[in-house]
Amino acid sequence: MSWLSIVGIGEDGLDGLGNAARAAIAEAEIVFGGARHLALAAPVITGTPQAWLSPFSASIEAVLAQRGRKVCVLASGDPFHFGVGATLVRHIDASQMVVYPHPSAFGLAAARLGWPLQDVVTLSLHGRPLDLLRPHLHAGARILALTSDEKGPAAIAALLTEAGFGISIVTVLEALGGPNETVRSQVAMGFALENVDPLNLCAISVVALPGARVLPLTPGLDDGLFEHDGQITKRHVRALTLSALAPRRGELLWDIGAGSGSVAIEWMLADPSLKAIAIEADAERAARMARNAAQMGVPDLSIVIGTAPEALAGLEAPHAIFIGGGGSDPGVLDAAIAALRPGGRLVANAVTLELEALLLAAYASRGGSLSRIGVAQADAVGSMTAWRPAMPITQWVWSKP
């Protein structure tokens, strides 16, 4: 039987709640919520109010400790859209809770602006890096982004300006649904709003200036988008490599000998649910990789500084592995094969004869597929033009039984 009620509440307080939601608050023996929410619901709370603890994980433990009693949790708007409901359901079966959603901040903002919500990118940047915006910055895009505080809108405007989207329109919607609701718009490059309410959401109408840093939606991004010292899987080979790695929702990639991190970064760009661990022995390259990850909008890329196979010990088992650099070092290929989850994919690219020999032996003993990749670019030869070939790549692709 359900013992937990989760009530979404907005800035309109009790006026925006139905009778069932009000009753859930009134009948609860203990009511958890933020100070603002507890104040909004105070007139009907008859049990013990409990403000969220710090760290928030302690609050979840406190809720779980009350299992069996009548408990109510107050949440912002829709509890299952970037809300506390999504956290609680990891610990409590849905059959044990009753949820009363309220219109989310995204829904309210879309209603104010007349934006069809199904055509809008919705992001929570509350306590998260603003760089997560970058993959969505395409001309004509509409983005709704929750911020952490009153400084968030100015920081978003600064990022847009730096990335070449300075004439985008940033609309700040403050205290949505309440008596102090305010909607104000400015051009990103001239953003100067003052006295912004900490409870705000930014609506961004994206306009790209010439030279804006737009991240295309297909694999094989231009090499010039990455900071590198020449240690990079070039775009044509990278596109083929990502195709062979075949990312699937929720999977983890190991990028061994990651260099600039280009493969791991593009893996993560394929879907927000994807994760990657980049293993790189050179600390300078690792720092460069972290900058690339931020600039590409995947700041959550995990970077391990160390030499394989030793650096692989203790890492979460991957669904896919890419070996670009250091694959010929003793034990690397065997360690990768051993660590790969059943059904996982391994892709190894060889430029050197030493690694190619290992891949030929692996293909002979384990099967998979072996390909030879050759790319040539037109280049000037004196006053004329000729093909200038890049070093050929031997690529082994193998799926673990």
Side-chain angles (χ1 to χ4, degrees):
M1 295 179 62
S2 58
W3 56 273
L4 174 66
S5 298
I6 306 178
V7 176
I9 189 169
E11 290 302 288
D12 51 358
L14 296 175
D15 290 341
L17 300 184
N19 291 334
R22 283 171 170 253
I25 300 171
E27 295 169 6
E29 298 172 65
I30 182 167
V31 180
F32 290 88
R36 188 177 87 258
H37 293 151
L38 290 172
L40 289 169
V44 297
I45 294 176
T46 59
T48 303
Q50 174 61 63
W52 292 127
L53 305 173
S54 182
F56 188 70
S57 58
S59 297
I60 300 303
E61 293 172 4
V63 172
L64 296 175
Q66 301 299 323
R67 189 188 302 269
R69 301 178 67 191
K70 282 193 173 184
V71 178
C72 181
V73 167
L74 301 177
S76 293
D78 185 344
F80 280 86
H81 199 175
F82 297 114
V84 69
T87 303
L88 286 168
V89 81
R90 298 189 200 118
H91 307 276
I92 304 168
D93 190 87
S95 64
Q96 298 180 38
M97 60 177 70
V98 178
V99 182
Y100 302 92
H102 186 276
S104 69
F106 297 118
L108 291 172
R112 301 294 187 271
L113 300 170
W115 288 6
L117 198 52
Q118 70 271 13
D119 299 329
V120 175
V121 175
T122 57
L123 295 173
S124 176
L125 302 178
H126 183 80
R128 307 180 72 200
L130 296 185
D131 289 316
L132 294 170
L133 269 174
R134 295 183 186 272
H136 306 287
L137 297 179
H138 287 248
R142 288 173 166 177
I143 302 170
L144 294 175
L146 291 170
T147 75
S148 294
D149 53 34
E150 68 278 6
K151 299 177 182 177
I156 287 173
L159 183 149
L160 292 169
T161 303
E162 172 266 321
F165 300 89
I167 58 173
S168 299
I169 304 300
V170 179
T171 299
V172 184
L173 300 101
E174 307 163 66
L176 277 169
N180 298 318
E181 178 179 311
T182 305
V183 179
R184 298 183 282 173
S185 299
Q186 287 200 335
V187 175
M189 63 196 309
F191 191 90
L193 290 183
E194 297 181 348
N195 302 316
V196 175
D197 193 296
L199 187 66
N200 69 77
L201 177 148
C202 284
I204 306 166
S205 297
V206 181
V207 182
L209 288 164
R213 188 181 175 86
V214 179
L215 300 178
L217 300 176
T218 55
L221 299 180
D222 191 288
D223 296 342
L225 290 170
F226 296 90
E227 184 184 349
H228 64 90
D229 59 359
Q231 191 74 12
I232 183 173
T233 301
K234 300 296 193 296
R235 64 179 302 182
H236 300 94
V237 175
R238 193 183 327 123
L240 293 171
T241 298
L242 267 295
S243 175
L245 286 168
R248 301 168 189 174
R249 185 171 177 80
E251 290 189 328
L252 170 68
L253 170 76
W254 283 4
D255 185 351
I256 300 175
S260 67
S262 62
V263 171
I265 288 168
E266 289 212 39
W267 166 278
M268 293 182 69
L269 283 172
D271 190 85
S273 69
L274 295 169
K275 299 185 296 181
I277 301 174
I279 298 95
E280 173 55 53
D282 187 282
E284 186 175 344
R285 284 177 178 160
R288 188 181 296 121
M289 191 190 317
R291 294 194 294 272
N292 281 333
Q295 285 292 311
M296 293 296 191
V298 289
D300 294 332
L301 172 65
S302 178
I303 299 173
V304 174
I305 301 176
T307 303
E310 292 79 13
L312 308 179
L315 299 182
E316 181 184 349
H319 302 86
I321 297 177
F322 172 59
I323 301 177
S328 59
D329 293 346
V332 171
L333 189 58
D334 289 340
I337 289 171
L340 191 63
R341 295 179 189 233
R345 289 89 59 206
L346 186 148
V347 178
N349 290 353
V351 175
T352 65
L353 294 177
E354 288 77 10
L355 181 52
E356 184 181 77
L358 289 177
L359 299 188
L360 290 171
Y363 172 68
S365 63
R366 298 179 181 273
S369 65
L370 202 63
S371 303
R372 185 80 155 168
I373 302 171
V375 178
Q377 302 272 13
D379 198 8
V381 177
S383 61
M384 306 185 77
T385 306
W387 293 111
R388 192 176 298 279
M391 295 178 71
I393 304 290
T394 299
Q395 184 179 85
W396 181 51
V397 180
W398 176 75
S399 294
K400 190 170 186 176

